[in-house]
């Protein structure tokens, strides 16, 4: 699986959009970009995933660059409850394949 | 999303005892379950992968005789930490994957915090 690079930490004001970047310059054609987050002392929570098109769901939007070498997770209106570690993971779409977690980005939403 | 539960959520045991952690997929059939370990201020590290009805595959450096994994059904996997020692104290997280939908995301349990005295 391709390696990802994320900033170790970010701050965001409550109510503003949080934009979390991820670099995955070695991504291959059949690999997807997944985003998970982990709130302190809980299991990771699935947020969104995509292949090459931008995606949006009730939690977030995922913007993938045309060359697929980077992506941005957008939380449109961050709340205090969005404070967590956010993991960007690149993985092939094979059932039974595990996720490899990097250090992620620690997002702190400030009041 | 699908629901994965873990039991217990927290356990404290004496050194030398064995501890069993259960992981259940509540609303889908988990053909594959994964066990992760997370030390303070670190990321999740995969310990082993188990498919229903077959032996688990352990990651390099994880002792299979110490961390016994049983995946006897499509909804239950157990991790037994045998002869636990203080260095085994950690946050243990399971995840489940199955053919529930096309997203192929893994669904994670809430974790079990093990403290070995």
């Amino acid at each position: 699986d391709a390696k990802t690079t994320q900033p170790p930490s970010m701050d965001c004001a409550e109510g503003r959009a949080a934009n979390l970047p991820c670099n995955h310059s070695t991504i291959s054609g059949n690999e997807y970009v997944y985003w998970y987050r982990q709130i302190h002392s809980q299991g990771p929570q699935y947020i969104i995933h995509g292949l090459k098109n931008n995606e949006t769901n009730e939690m977030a939007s995922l913007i993938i660059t045309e060359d697929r070498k980077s992506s941005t997770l957008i939380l449109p209106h961050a709340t205090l409850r969005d404070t967590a570690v956010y993991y960007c993971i690149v993985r092939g779409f094979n059932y039974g394949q595990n996720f490899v977690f990097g250090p992620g980005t620690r997002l702190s939403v400030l009041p | 999303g699908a629901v994965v539960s873990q039991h217990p959520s927290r356990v404290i045991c004496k050194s030398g005892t064995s501890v069993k952690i259960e992981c259940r997929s509540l609303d889908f059939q988990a053909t594959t379950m994964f066990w992760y370990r997370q030390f303070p201020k670190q990321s999740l590290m995969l310990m082993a992968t188990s498919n229903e009805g077959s032996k688990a595959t352990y990651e390099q450096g994880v002792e299979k005789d110490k961390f016994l994994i049983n995946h006897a059904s499509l909804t239950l996997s157990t991790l037994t930490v045998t002869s636990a020692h203080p260095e085994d104290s950690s946050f243990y997280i399971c995840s489940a994957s199955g053919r529930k939908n096309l997203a192929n995301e893994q669904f994670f349990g809430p974790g079990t915090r093990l403290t070995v005295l």
Side-chain angles (χ1 to χ4, degrees):
Chain A
D1 293 326
K3 181 180 171 58
T4 63
T5 305
Q6 299 177 251
S9 64
M10 290 182 63
D11 291 340
C12 175
E14 187 179 19
R16 303 297 293 268
N19 298 290
L20 292 91
C22 179
N23 287 321
H24 31 79
S25 59
T26 60
I27 191 170
S28 61
N30 64 347
E31 290 183 317
Y32 285 68
V33 180
Y34 288 83
W35 282 84
Y36 281 76
R37 73 179 181 183
Q38 186 179 25
I39 296 170
H40 182 63
S41 294
Q42 297 183 23
Q45 177 189 22
Y46 167 81
I47 301 173
I48 200 167
H49 80 287
L51 182 62
K52 55 182 179 180
N53 296 323
N54 297 337
E55 303 287 345
T56 296
N57 63 20
E58 65 277 5
M59 289 183 68
S61 295
L62 173 61
I63 307 299
I64 302 175
T65 58
E66 192 169 343
D67 63 7
R68 302 208 323 123
K69 293 185 177 182
S70 65
S71 61
T72 301
L73 178 74
I74 301 173
L75 307 179
H77 305 286
T79 70
L80 299 179
R81 288 176 293 182
D82 292 322
T83 292
V85 178
Y86 287 76
Y87 298 100
C88 168
I89 301 167
V90 170
R91 197 192 74 156
F93 199 78
N94 296 316
Y95 287 106
Q97 190 172 351
N98 69 290
F99 286 85
V100 178
F101 286 82
T105 295
R106 182 172 298 277
L107 174 68
S108 298
V109 180
L110 307 176
Chain B
V3 179
V4 175
S5 69
Q6 281 186 240
H7 178 78
S9 58
R10 185 180 298 266
V11 57
I12 301 173
C13 70
K14 293 182 179 180
S15 184
T17 60
S18 295
V19 175
K20 179 185 284 189
I21 303 170
E22 292 185 350
C23 176
R24 294 183 184 273
S25 59
L26 299 185
D27 58 353
F28 74 104
Q29 294 186 327
T31 51
T32 306
M33 284 187 169
F34 304 87
W35 287 95
Y36 295 81
R37 180 168 54 183
Q38 185 175 33
F39 293 107
K41 298 189 185 303
Q42 295 185 23
S43 191
L44 285 76
M45 295 296 294
L46 180 69
M47 298 176 66
T49 301
S50 73
N51 294 297
E52 185 264 339
S54 60
K55 290 184 178 180
T57 302
Y58 290 81
E59 295 298 301
Q60 191 173 7
V62 178
E63 301 174 56
K64 64 178 181 179
D65 295 329
K66 180 171 182 60
F67 299 98
L68 302 179
I69 292 173
N70 184 289
H71 191 167
S73 78
L74 287 172
T75 59
L76 174 65
S77 176
T78 60
L79 168 68
T80 302
V81 183
T82 62
S83 186
H85 291 283
E87 58 266 29
D88 298 323
S89 297
S90 187
F91 192 49
Y92 291 86
I93 304 169
C94 73
S95 71
S97 179
R99 297 181 185 271
K100 176 178 170 60
N101 55 40
L102 296 178
N104 195 26
E105 66 264 36
Q106 285 186 21
F107 301 99
F108 287 81
T112 296
R113 186 161 301 283
L114 170 64
T115 303
V116 185
L117 303 177

